[in-house]
Amino acid sequence: MLIVRSSEWKDQFSERLENGAKSDSWTLYKMAYNVVKTSLIKDFRGLQCPKFLPHLQPFKHQLEVAETVIERMNGKAILADEVGLGKTIEAGLILKEYLVRGLVKKALILAPASLVNQWIDELNRKFHIPAMQYNKKYDLSLCDIVVTSIDMAKRSPHKEKIYAQNFDLIIVDEAHKLKNHQTKNYEFVQQLKKKFCLLLTATPIQNDVFELFYLITLLKPGHLGNYETFRTAFSASKHDVEHEEFLKELVNQVMVRNTREATGIEWPDRHVAIIPITFSDIERDIYSMITHLKTNSSLFSDAFSIITLQREMCSSKEAVQYTLMNMREKCTRHEDLQAIDQIVEKLAALQLHAKAEKTFELIQQANDKVIIFTEYRATQNFLQAYLYEKGITSVLFNGKFSKSKRDWMKQLFQQNAQVLIATESGSEGINLQFCRYVINYDLPWNPMKLEQRIGRVHRLGQANDVHIYNLAIQDTIDDHIVDLLHTKIDVFEKVVGELDAILTSYKLSI
């Protein structure tokens, strides 16, 4: 562009002086001055963004988290508040603050597919941040705030387009799914170009302490040393760690965690109980036949297959029957076929299931809406049919449903049905504060999955006490699962902090 000297302003200035004309509008000048003055940031300390969000009323703990991450952690942090305390709001505040200060111009939010639209809606509506969903047809260099699912983003040709961008901020929701350096999710996030990074998870330790090590290493490589140094310094194993106070101090330099009790908000109480159940004689016989398969059949020589069948038997005959029939197709030995057929024949004669009967009893006593969590879709279908025969309306919820169908099931549950029967996919990305009863029909190996399930109802907006019933069949694999859950909870509390009640000892409390 050619720049030339001009003297036109002199003529215009002389003309205004001779004619007594105003140089400009004083009112417009003051308005422009006030706009600039308002947008000036005189001090880095303290949040500026709330004054640009007059309709958003964040809680005190959410504002404190945003300040801590920006002022003390340099925008690299794990947001690990307990489920339902508003980690999305905290991340939105941090993003908005960096946008206001001009420190972030380009950001990428990675979330489970079921939460992408929720993120876009909250950023647009609550924070006035023009976020958009990733589309392979768009030129990413022209898109400032992009939201996408990590499952899509990590695949070609999407990952190549995303890798080509220089992001100021990366936000990863449900960050526990990154797990460790061997997963594609972790590898994808690690290779992104980023200045700031937020990892959101209420459960930074899912199964073992090394998951937390890898999350922190992703944020700040070397903060806990390398893998061998970490393992040696803290005598770390999957389910145990030493020098936990020193480790917790290091962890708290990169992690912010609020518990419900610490927020100062008045929360409804959480009542948790393990409900012990006894198998009927025929159920016990079938369970024993399954257990003996390991020694009597080459097809079931590995322990995992037997454990799977045992867990399915503790869930429903439909679940174990489905697996056995699939295994039958692989049989080449007459002895294996005979062993499977004997169990299937016994299952066909089984009319009742002790756990289902106890579930019906709990639903009757609740006389209100109830969520049931199971590990198996075959059990889902069994429970729906069983409850229908008892005159109880229910809807299903699982990961095979499209987003629109999931939304429809949630609406049906809220307005029409008494029971929602969900698989693990129902423990994330769905808020059900209108319900206050949860039955964990099948116990997971991972205690954090229990916390995620409970968090669907025990969260901001819940007005009533919540009741959690964990069903466990005595003298079965369920006993081992309960023991392991307690061990994992102990590790979590040593390193991360106290957990709200998710499990209790065996006792009947109703």
Side-chain angles (χ1 to χ4, degrees):
M1 182 177 67
L2 182 64
I3 300 176
V4 297
R5 185 186 296 273
S6 172
S7 60
E8 288 184 12
W9 68 274
K10 291 183 181 179
D11 297 334
Q12 294 172 1
F13 182 63
S14 298
E15 184 179 342
R16 281 196 291 271
L17 285 176
E18 292 171 3
N19 298 328
K22 292 183 177 180
S23 296
D24 210 332
S25 168
W26 178 244
T27 302
L28 289 176
Y29 172 79
K30 286 195 295 184
M31 289 173 65
Y33 173 81
N34 287 332
V35 167
V36 173
K37 184 179 179 182
T38 301
S39 62
L40 286 176
I41 300 174
K42 301 176 182 179
D43 187 1
F44 192 81
R45 298 187 65 83
L47 297 179
Q48 305 296 319
C49 67
K51 62 187 177 186
F52 297 96
L53 304 168
H55 301 297
L56 179 68
Q57 300 297 324
F59 288 98
K60 181 182 177 183
H61 73 272
Q62 294 168 338
L63 293 169
E64 289 175 348
V65 166
E67 280 195 41
T68 298
V69 170
I70 291 171
E71 295 179 5
R72 287 180 37 214
M73 298 181 174
N74 195 30
K76 296 179 180 179
I78 299 173
L79 306 189
D81 285 2
E82 287 187 322
V83 177
L85 293 187
K87 289 182 290 296
T88 305
I89 297 296
E90 292 166 358
L93 287 169
I94 294 167
L95 173 57
K96 185 70 174 182
E97 185 69 21
Y98 277 138
L99 288 170
V100 168
R101 293 178 180 275
L103 296 175
V104 166
K105 297 186 182 299
K106 197 172 187 64
L108 175 69
I109 294 94
L110 299 167
S114 60
L115 301 182
V116 168
N117 289 337
Q118 182 177 316
W119 266 96
I120 293 172
D121 177 65
E122 294 220 351
L123 290 177
N124 288 336
R125 183 168 48 85
K126 294 182 178 179
F127 295 95
H128 310 299
I129 295 174
M132 58 177 294
Q133 187 167 354
Y134 168 81
N135 189 312
K136 64 181 180 181
K137 297 179 182 178
Y138 298 161
D139 183 351
L140 276 184
S141 62
L142 303 177
C143 305
D144 293 332
I145 314 297
V146 178
V147 185
T148 187
S149 74
I150 194 167
D151 288 333
M152 175 187 285
K154 71 184 179 186
R155 300 197 306 265
S156 296
H158 315 297
K159 70 176 181 180
E160 288 79 12
K161 293 183 177 182
I162 294 173
Y163 280 158
Q165 304 300 311
N166 289 302
F167 294 102
D168 299 307
L169 173 63
I170 301 292
I171 299 174
V172 184
D173 197 7
E174 305 295 351
H176 51 268
K177 293 184 176 181
L178 300 180
K179 291 189 179 295
N180 59 58
H181 67 301
Q182 295 180 323
T183 68
K184 291 188 179 298
N185 286 359
Y186 190 98
E187 181 184 353
F188 171 74
V189 175
Q190 190 175 40
Q191 293 186 30
L192 290 171
K193 300 170 189 172
K194 51 192 177 292
K195 182 166 60 176
F196 305 119
C197 184
L198 302 177
L199 304 178
L200 279 59
T201 173
T203 54
I205 295 178
Q206 288 269 306
N207 281 300
D208 64 68
V209 72
F210 295 108
E211 292 170 339
L212 179 59
F213 165 80
Y214 282 112
L215 286 182
I216 292 175
T217 299
L218 185 64
L219 285 176
K220 291 189 174 182
H223 184 72
L224 296 179
N226 60 29
Y227 178 86
E228 289 300 329
T229 302
F230 173 75
R231 192 175 65 170
T232 302
F234 298 101
S235 301
S237 62
K238 291 182 71 173
H239 301 146
D240 195 18
V241 68
E242 294 181 4
H243 313 298
E244 58 265 24
E245 289 303 318
F246 178 51
L247 177 56
K248 189 180 292 187
E249 184 180 328
L250 290 174
V251 169
N252 288 340
Q253 292 174 14
V254 292
M255 185 179 76
V256 188
R257 176 174 172 81
N258 284 301
T259 61
R260 294 176 185 86
E261 186 178 355
T263 60
I265 302 169
E266 188 172 339
W267 286 85
D269 290 335
R270 177 189 290 195
H271 306 279
V272 181
I274 289 183
I275 309 299
I277 298 167
T278 303
F279 262 153
S280 63
D281 290 341
I282 185 171
E283 287 173 316
R284 179 68 59 190
D285 288 343
I286 297 171
Y287 187 87
S288 296
M289 292 171 70
I290 290 172
T291 302
H292 288 129
L293 282 174
K294 185 176 180 180
T295 55
N296 298 336
S297 171
S298 60
L299 186 65
F300 304 96
S301 57
D302 69 293
F304 181 76
S305 296
I306 299 299
I307 290 172
T308 298
L309 290 170
Q310 287 174 329
R311 293 193 69 206
E312 289 173 338
M313 184 58 205
C314 289
S315 182
S316 69
K317 76 173 187 179
E318 283 75 8
V320 70
Q321 199 167 28
Y322 178 80
T323 300
L324 284 172
M325 295 310 292
N326 284 336
M327 286 182 165
R328 192 182 191 281
E329 295 178 2
K330 303 174 185 176
C331 283
T332 57
R333 295 174 70 247
H334 174 71
E335 292 84 352
D336 293 336
L337 283 171
Q338 192 174 32
I340 289 176
D341 289 343
Q342 286 176 350
I343 296 174
V344 170
E345 185 179 350
K346 275 269 193 180
L347 287 169
L350 182 61
Q351 298 299 314
L352 299 174
H353 195 286
K355 190 184 279 188
E357 291 180 321
K358 175 57 71 173
T359 298
F360 172 61
E361 181 184 325
L362 292 171
I363 293 170
Q364 281 188 307
Q365 291 182 16
N367 194 29
D368 202 345
K369 293 189 180 297
V370 178
I371 305 170
I372 300 174
F373 282 104
T374 176
E375 299 272 292
Y376 309 102
R377 285 202 293 273
T379 301
Q380 262 194 317
N381 296 327
F382 156 68
L383 283 173
Q384 186 171 47
Y386 174 79
L387 293 176
Y388 177 78
E389 291 178 356
K390 300 289 187 180
I392 294 175
T393 56
S394 65
V395 292
L396 304 183
F397 194 98
N398 63 54
K400 293 292 184 181
F401 292 172
S402 65
K403 183 184 181 304
S404 58
K405 186 170 183 178
R406 288 157 64 100
D407 291 341
W408 175 234
M409 291 300 104
K410 176 183 173 180
Q411 186 174 340
L412 283 177
F413 176 45
Q414 185 168 8
Q415 297 178 356
N416 301 100
Q418 184 182 354
V419 175
L420 178 80
I421 309 170
T423 57
E424 207 59 57
S425 62
S427 66
E428 294 181 350
I430 181 171
N431 302 332
L432 303 166
Q433 295 96 321
F434 56 85
C435 176
R436 60 193 183 101
Y437 289 93
V438 175
I439 297 175
N440 288 309
Y441 190 86
D442 300 317
L443 292 175
W445 293 106
N446 181 352
M448 298 305 108
K449 287 187 177 181
L450 285 176
E451 174 62 18
Q452 289 282 358
R453 293 175 181 182
I454 298 169
R456 299 310 99 208
V457 299
H458 199 212
R459 59 192 301 114
L460 290 171
Q462 176 59 261
N464 302 295
D465 288 0
V466 298
H467 299 265
I468 315 300
Y469 304 120
N470 299 313
L471 308 189
I473 299 177
Q474 294 180 296
D475 302 318
T476 68
I477 188 67
D478 283 354
D479 289 341
H480 175 62
I481 292 174
V482 170
D483 289 341
L484 188 58
L485 288 173
H486 280 298
T487 299
K488 292 180 177 181
I489 289 170
D490 182 58
V491 173
F492 185 98
E493 293 189 328
K494 276 184 177 180
V495 180
V496 178
E498 288 190 11
L499 270 173
D500 208 337
I502 60 175
L503 201 64
T504 55
S505 301
Y506 273 117
K507 64 179 181 178
L508 190 61
S509 64
I510 60 171

